[in-house]
PDB file of all heavy atoms in Angstrom:
ATOM      1  N   LYS A1230       2.448  25.249  16.460  1.00 98.00           N
ATOM      2  CA  LYS A1230       1.402  26.256  16.655  1.00 98.00           C
ATOM      3  C   LYS A1230       1.767  27.538  15.886  1.00 98.00           C
ATOM      4  O   LYS A1230       2.926  27.920  15.851  1.00 98.00           O
ATOM      5  CB  LYS A1230       1.271  26.555  18.163  1.00 98.00           C
ATOM      6  CG  LYS A1230       0.332  27.688  18.536  1.00 98.00           C
ATOM      7  CD  LYS A1230      -1.120  27.349  18.353  1.00 98.00           C
ATOM      8  CE  LYS A1230      -2.024  28.526  18.725  1.00 98.00           C
ATOM      9  NZ  LYS A1230      -3.422  28.327  18.312  1.00 98.00           N
ATOM     10  N   ASN A1254     -13.549  27.354  19.794  1.00 98.00           N
ATOM     11  CA  ASN A1254     -12.338  27.889  20.424  1.00 98.00           C
ATOM     12  C   ASN A1254     -12.151  29.342  20.088  1.00 98.00           C
ATOM     13  O   ASN A1254     -12.545  29.814  19.006  1.00 98.00           O
ATOM     14  CB  ASN A1254     -11.113  27.055  20.012  1.00 98.00           C
ATOM     15  CG  ASN A1254     -10.403  27.641  18.808  1.00 98.00           C
ATOM     16  OD1 ASN A1254      -9.586  28.563  18.922  1.00 98.00           O
ATOM     17  ND2 ASN A1254     -10.714  27.129  17.618  1.00 98.00           N
ATOM     18  N   SER A1255     -11.564  30.024  21.026  1.00 98.00           N
ATOM     19  CA  SER A1255     -11.056  31.367  20.761  1.00 98.00           C
ATOM     20  C   SER A1255      -9.750  31.530  21.534  1.00 98.00           C
ATOM     21  O   SER A1255      -9.671  32.286  22.500  1.00 98.00           O
ATOM     22  CB  SER A1255     -12.069  32.438  21.174  1.00 98.00           C
ATOM     23  OG  SER A1255     -11.550  33.712  20.829  1.00 98.00           O
ATOM     24  N   ILE A1256      -8.753  30.761  21.113  1.00 98.00           N
ATOM     25  CA  ILE A1256      -7.460  30.752  21.815  1.00 98.00           C
ATOM     26  C   ILE A1256      -6.763  32.109  21.649  1.00 98.00           C
ATOM     27  O   ILE A1256      -6.118  32.613  22.582  1.00 98.00           O
ATOM     28  CB  ILE A1256      -6.546  29.624  21.265  1.00 98.00           C
ATOM     29  CG1 ILE A1256      -7.258  28.267  21.301  1.00 98.00           C
ATOM     30  CG2 ILE A1256      -5.222  29.578  22.008  1.00 98.00           C
ATOM     31  CD1 ILE A1256      -7.643  27.765  22.675  1.00 98.00           C
ATOM     32  N   GLY A1257      -6.913  32.678  20.466  1.00 98.00           N
ATOM     33  CA  GLY A1257      -6.292  33.984  20.255  1.00 98.00           C
ATOM     34  C   GLY A1257      -4.799  33.918  19.999  1.00 98.00           C
ATOM     35  O   GLY A1257      -4.046  34.809  20.386  1.00 98.00           O
ATOM     36  N   LEU A1258      -4.392  32.821  19.318  1.00 98.00           N
ATOM     37  CA  LEU A1258      -2.997  32.678  18.883  1.00 98.00           C
ATOM     38  C   LEU A1258      -1.992  32.755  20.028  1.00 98.00           C
ATOM     39  O   LEU A1258      -0.932  33.404  19.905  1.00 98.00           O
ATOM     40  CB  LEU A1258      -2.656  33.740  17.801  1.00 98.00           C
ATOM     41  CG  LEU A1258      -3.455  33.632  16.521  1.00 98.00           C
ATOM     42  CD1 LEU A1258      -3.256  34.846  15.617  1.00 98.00           C
ATOM     43  CD2 LEU A1258      -3.101  32.355  15.756  1.00 98.00           C
ATOM     44  N   ALA A1259      -2.310  32.101  21.125  1.00 98.00           N
ATOM     45  CA  ALA A1259      -1.348  31.993  22.225  1.00 98.00           C
ATOM     46  C   ALA A1259      -0.142  31.219  21.722  1.00 98.00           C
ATOM     47  O   ALA A1259      -0.290  30.124  21.163  1.00 98.00           O
ATOM     48  CB  ALA A1259      -1.985  31.264  23.398  1.00 98.00           C
ATOM     49  N   ASN A1313      -0.599  31.413   8.054  1.00 98.00           N
ATOM     50  CA  ASN A1313      -1.977  31.423   8.523  1.00 98.00           C
ATOM     51  C   ASN A1313      -2.630  32.764   8.163  1.00 98.00           C
ATOM     52  O   ASN A1313      -2.330  33.798   8.735  1.00 98.00           O
ATOM     53  CB  ASN A1313      -1.965  31.221  10.060  1.00 98.00           C
ATOM     54  CG  ASN A1313      -3.350  31.095  10.645  1.00 98.00           C
ATOM     55  OD1 ASN A1313      -4.354  31.344   9.981  1.00 98.00           O
ATOM     56  ND2 ASN A1313      -3.404  30.676  11.900  1.00 98.00           N
ATOM     57  N   CYS A1316      -6.964  33.222  10.990  1.00 97.00           N
ATOM     58  CA  CYS A1316      -7.394  33.066  12.389  1.00 97.00           C
ATOM     59  C   CYS A1316      -8.564  34.006  12.672  1.00 97.00           C
ATOM     60  O   CYS A1316      -8.454  35.210  12.474  1.00 97.00           O
ATOM     61  CB  CYS A1316      -6.259  33.364  13.353  1.00 97.00           C
ATOM     62  SG  CYS A1316      -6.826  33.206  15.071  1.00 97.00           S
ATOM     63  N   PRO A1317      -9.700  33.455  13.150  1.00 98.00           N
ATOM     64  CA  PRO A1317     -10.851  34.321  13.383  1.00 98.00           C
ATOM     65  C   PRO A1317     -10.893  34.906  14.794  1.00 98.00           C
ATOM     66  O   PRO A1317     -11.861  35.565  15.151  1.00 98.00           O
ATOM     67  CB  PRO A1317     -12.030  33.357  13.190  1.00 98.00           C
ATOM     68  CG  PRO A1317     -11.503  32.024  13.606  1.00 98.00           C
ATOM     69  CD  PRO A1317     -10.027  32.023  13.318  1.00 98.00           C
ATOM     70  N   ASN A1318      -9.857  34.640  15.605  1.00 97.00           N
ATOM     71  CA  ASN A1318     -10.004  34.863  17.047  1.00 97.00           C
ATOM     72  C   ASN A1318      -9.208  36.043  17.624  1.00 97.00           C
ATOM     73  O   ASN A1318      -8.993  36.077  18.842  1.00 97.00           O
ATOM     74  CB  ASN A1318      -9.607  33.601  17.797  1.00 97.00           C
ATOM     75  CG  ASN A1318     -10.467  32.417  17.391  1.00 97.00           C
ATOM     76  OD1 ASN A1318     -11.621  32.579  17.012  1.00 97.00           O
ATOM     77  ND2 ASN A1318      -9.904  31.211  17.438  1.00 97.00           N
ATOM     78  N   ASN A1380      -9.603  26.718   7.996  1.00 98.00           N
ATOM     79  CA  ASN A1380      -9.528  27.079   9.411  1.00 98.00           C
ATOM     80  C   ASN A1380     -10.925  26.903  10.010  1.00 98.00           C
ATOM     81  O   ASN A1380     -11.890  26.620   9.296  1.00 98.00           O
ATOM     82  CB  ASN A1380      -9.036  28.525   9.578  1.00 98.00           C
ATOM     83  CG  ASN A1380      -8.285  28.719  10.890  1.00 98.00           C
ATOM     84  OD1 ASN A1380      -8.718  28.204  11.910  1.00 98.00           O
ATOM     85  ND2 ASN A1380      -7.205  29.462  10.850  1.00 98.00           N
ATOM     86  N   SER A1381     -11.042  27.078  11.302  1.00 98.00           N
ATOM     87  CA  SER A1381     -12.359  26.911  11.935  1.00 98.00           C
ATOM     88  C   SER A1381     -13.349  27.911  11.338  1.00 98.00           C
ATOM     89  O   SER A1381     -12.955  28.942  10.787  1.00 98.00           O
ATOM     90  CB  SER A1381     -12.234  27.127  13.449  1.00 98.00           C
ATOM     91  OG  SER A1381     -11.724  28.404  13.713  1.00 98.00           O
TER      92      SER A1381
HETATM   93  C1  LIG B 708      -6.351  30.418  17.741  1.00 68.71           C
HETATM   94  O1  LIG B 708      -5.233  30.449  18.237  1.00 68.71           O
HETATM   95  O2  LIG B 708      -7.239  31.236  18.081  1.00 68.71           O
HETATM   96  C2  LIG B 708      -6.703  29.372  16.752  1.00 68.71           C
HETATM   97  C3  LIG B 708      -5.768  29.355  15.612  1.00 68.71           C
HETATM   98  C4  LIG B 708      -6.399  29.763  14.333  1.00 68.71           C
HETATM   99  O3  LIG B 708      -7.636  29.825  14.240  1.00 68.71           O
HETATM  100  O4  LIG B 708      -5.703  30.031  13.358  1.00 68.71           O
END
Side-chain angles (χ1 to χ4, degrees):
K1230 174 72 181 169
N1254 93 83
S1255 183
I1256 306 298
L1258 297 170
N1313 185 348
C1316 178
N1318 301 330
N1380 208 320
S1381 58

